[in-house]
Every structure is written in C-alpha cells, then in structure tokens.
Amino acid sequence: MNVIDVHTHVFPRLSRSEARVLAGAGEPWLREHGDGTGTIMSGDEEFRPVGVELWDPEARVAAMDRTGVGVQAVSSTPLMFGYEAEAGRAADWCELVNQRILDYCAQAPDRLLPLCQVPLQDVELACETVTKAAAAGHRGVHIGNHVGDRYPDDAGIVEFLAHCAREGVPVLMHPWDMLGGDRMAGRYMLPWLVGMAAETQLSILSLMLSGAFERIPESLRLCLCHGGGSFAYLLGRADNAWHNRDIVRADSPRPPSAYTGRFSVDSAVFDPRALRLLVEVMGAERVMLGTDFPFPLGELEPGATVRACAELTAGERAAILGGNARRFFSLDEQ
C-alpha cells in the first residue's frame, strides 16, 4: 500500500490525574466508556465524543486496512498542546505526551509515524524538546498555528521553524483556538467551518508578508492542514494588495505568490473542484493526502477527492496520495 495520510490525530490514554499538570490550561484527558467509545475531557468538562481508533493502535491499523491507507503520520489532538500553561509545566506535559505517542506508534512502526508536540510558548524549550523528540524516534513535529496572539511571523516562532529546518525536522501546522469563536460559538460548528480556514489563511500570509520566509532556511519542510484554508482561493486578492498598497509590501520583497514553493498543504478540501484549484496554485508536488482521521469532519474515504479529480494526471495523483509524503518525511532514507 502506497497511500500515506499526513494529517491524522491521536489522543493516547491519559488519566485525569496526569492531566493536572496542565491545571488551568485545559487539563485534557481521556474517559473511556468500555464499549469502543469515549469522551475527550477538559478538566471536568466534556469536550468531544470519540471512537476507539483515537487511542487504540490495533483499531486504527484495522481501519487503515479497511480504507487502503498504508501509512499515517500521527499527531496529537490540538486540545493537548498546553500553550496556555507555564512553560516548565508545558514541557513536562509534552514529554509525557510525546512518550505516549511513541508507545502508540511502536505497536505498528511500519504503519504509524509519530509526530511530537512542543511547548511553543517558550522557544528555547521548544527547540530543546523537538531535538530530544527527534532523537527518540519522532518523525516530525505538530504545532498549532498560533500561541495566543503570536502567529508564525512572531520572532520566537520563526526561530523555532528555522531550528526545525536546520535539524531536518518536518513541521505540520494545524489551526486551533479559532478567531471569532465568541461570535460563532454554538452555531452549526462555524468555528470549524469558517474559523479554521481563516486561521490557516492568516498563518500563511503572516509568514509571507512579514518576510519570515526570507529569514527561514529554504530547507524547512512545512505542511499546513485543511488545504491551506482559504489561501488558494484568495491568493489573487493578496497579490493584488501587495502590488497596490505600500503597507502590504512593507516587509516582504516579493508578492505572496512567490512563496508557494516554501510550504506544502494537505488535500482535505472535500471537493475535486477545490482540489483542482489547489493543485494549480501550489503545484501537485506541494499537496499531500490529509484526512483528519479519525474525526467525523475528516475525509471518511481517504483519497476519494484525489481520485475524483479528473484533471489530475496519474503521476500527480500518485504523488498526492503518497509520493510527496515519502519525500516530506524522508521515508526512503530509512
């Protein structure tokens, strides 16, 4: 099987007592019901109902076999980031989570690629953590797209991304804690349907327009989830603004479209027409299969959108379904 899914999540077994290291900062833990279902908890509050594939590697691999997926890159559920905690406690939490993810993926090491998380609120600790995690066997790092009001153009986050480039650690950037949540809360999952796309667009443009890509080594392997959000559809607007407004190009020597070769995106757009545009904007070599497994807003039939996009050549389809990910994670160098 050559299909590689770069965007999947895990919530390993973490107890209520273990979660208390993040007291006041989410306290995420897993409550199992004993019937193949469970609930992600945030302290005493129920956060999300979940299924056994999220914490049981045997069930996950069985699901992969049913859907024809050969390999998954496995990253933490964003609630687990711990960015609101004091940095030392967050570092302890990341060490615990990263070991649990390693243990989880060790049950099927040829099928599951572990991605670590880091205390991104402290750049020195984040760099130390990712270096340690990579030495322990993690194949990349999973980060949120912001820490409070600090987005990827923040000097500390730029320094972390440059560190990952120098260390050869691939980075998966995921939107979370969506903007506008107070205006959309409780309405049709709009924070996930609107806010996530906006968060990713904001993150990409912050890297481009701040000149951050000029300061980060070109060797950085960076992938943004959910097809890059609204970026591809609105790239023309961003380019137009760069050409016509001094304030937009103040810190960026080149228009946004000049930087599409500096990052990748996953294919989680759910519509062949959207995928066609995404490939036209990014190039087929910059798109990788991503499903958001095992959450219900993900692509339930992995690769269905890629296979349904008639405009793709056989070579492009094969690259998106697995070839690009093999290069991204250096799988042929094992």
Side-chain angles (χ1 to χ4, degrees), residues 3-300:
V3 175
I4 302 172
D5 186 350
V6 304
H7 178 189
T8 80
H9 296 290
V10 65
F11 199 111
R13 289 182 171 96
L14 292 159
S15 70
R16 180 71 178 87
S17 61
E18 288 172 322
R20 289 194 177 97
V21 71
L22 291 187
E27 297 184 61
W29 59 285
L30 179 67
R31 185 178 71 194
E32 295 183 57
H33 301 157
D35 61 355
T37 67
T39 302
I40 294 176
M41 302 293 293
S42 179
D44 295 326
E45 301 294 323
E46 295 185 351
F47 178 75
R48 178 182 296 170
V50 289
V52 68
E53 294 88 356
L54 190 62
W55 68 85
D56 186 308
E58 184 176 348
R60 177 180 292 255
V61 171
M64 293 167 63
D65 290 341
R66 289 194 301 271
T67 56
V69 174
V71 176
Q72 287 184 351
V74 178
S75 56
S76 58
T77 302
L79 180 68
M80 301 166 65
F81 285 144
Y83 293 160
E84 296 178 355
E86 181 273 326
R89 289 192 293 125
D92 291 341
W93 170 253
C94 287
E95 184 173 353
L96 171 64
V97 169
N98 291 343
Q99 186 58 54
R100 294 290 168 84
I101 293 175
L102 278 179
D103 294 343
Y104 181 95
C105 293
Q107 303 305 305
D110 57 334
R111 307 289 299 278
L112 305 176
L113 303 179
L115 306 187
C116 68
Q117 64 175 46
V118 298
L120 197 57
Q121 60 268 58
D122 184 304
V123 62
E124 184 176 350
L125 282 176
C127 291
E128 291 176 2
T129 300
V130 77
T131 297
K132 180 179 179 180
H138 283 274
R139 304 305 300 269
V141 60
H142 175 226
I143 65 173
N145 71 306
H146 66 100
V147 179
D149 60 359
R150 296 166 55 207
Y151 276 82
D153 59 327
D154 173 81
I157 298 177
V158 169
E159 183 178 343
F160 174 76
L161 293 173
H163 177 81
C164 290
R166 291 190 295 269
E167 298 270 313
V169 178
V171 179
L172 181 70
M173 184 179 291
H174 195 289
W176 82 296
D177 190 25
M178 282 75 76
L179 55 82
D182 55 335
R183 299 175 62 185
M184 295 184 283
R187 300 183 61 205
Y188 323 115
M189 293 198 76
L190 291 179
W192 281 263
L193 302 180
V194 177
M196 274 197 165
E199 284 287 350
T200 308
Q201 160 85 343
L202 174 56
S203 298
I204 294 172
L205 286 181
S206 73
L207 285 165
M208 292 175 165
L209 297 178
S210 69
F213 275 133
E214 299 291 334
R215 301 189 294 276
I216 298 170
E218 292 189 10
S219 59
L220 176 67
R221 286 172 281 169
L222 171 65
C223 178
L224 290 104
C225 297
H226 305 125
S230 48
F231 168 75
Y233 184 74
L234 296 176
L235 176 58
R237 179 178 177 85
D239 265 10
N240 181 65
W242 186 90
H243 285 291
N244 290 289
R245 295 298 302 271
D246 292 344
I247 192 173
V248 177
R249 60 175 177 267
D251 297 317
S252 177
R254 295 186 286 173
S257 59
Y259 296 102
T260 55
R262 294 298 306 276
F263 62 97
S264 298
V265 296
D266 74 16
S267 64
V269 294
F270 307 99
D271 187 324
R273 296 168 298 178
L275 181 62
R276 179 179 63 190
L277 173 64
L278 188 62
V279 169
E280 288 177 357
V281 169
M282 297 296 301
E285 72 280 3
R286 291 286 175 176
V287 183
M288 298 182 286
L289 175 66
T291 67
D292 215 353
F293 177 93
F295 296 132
L297 286 184
E299 186 173 58
L300 302 183

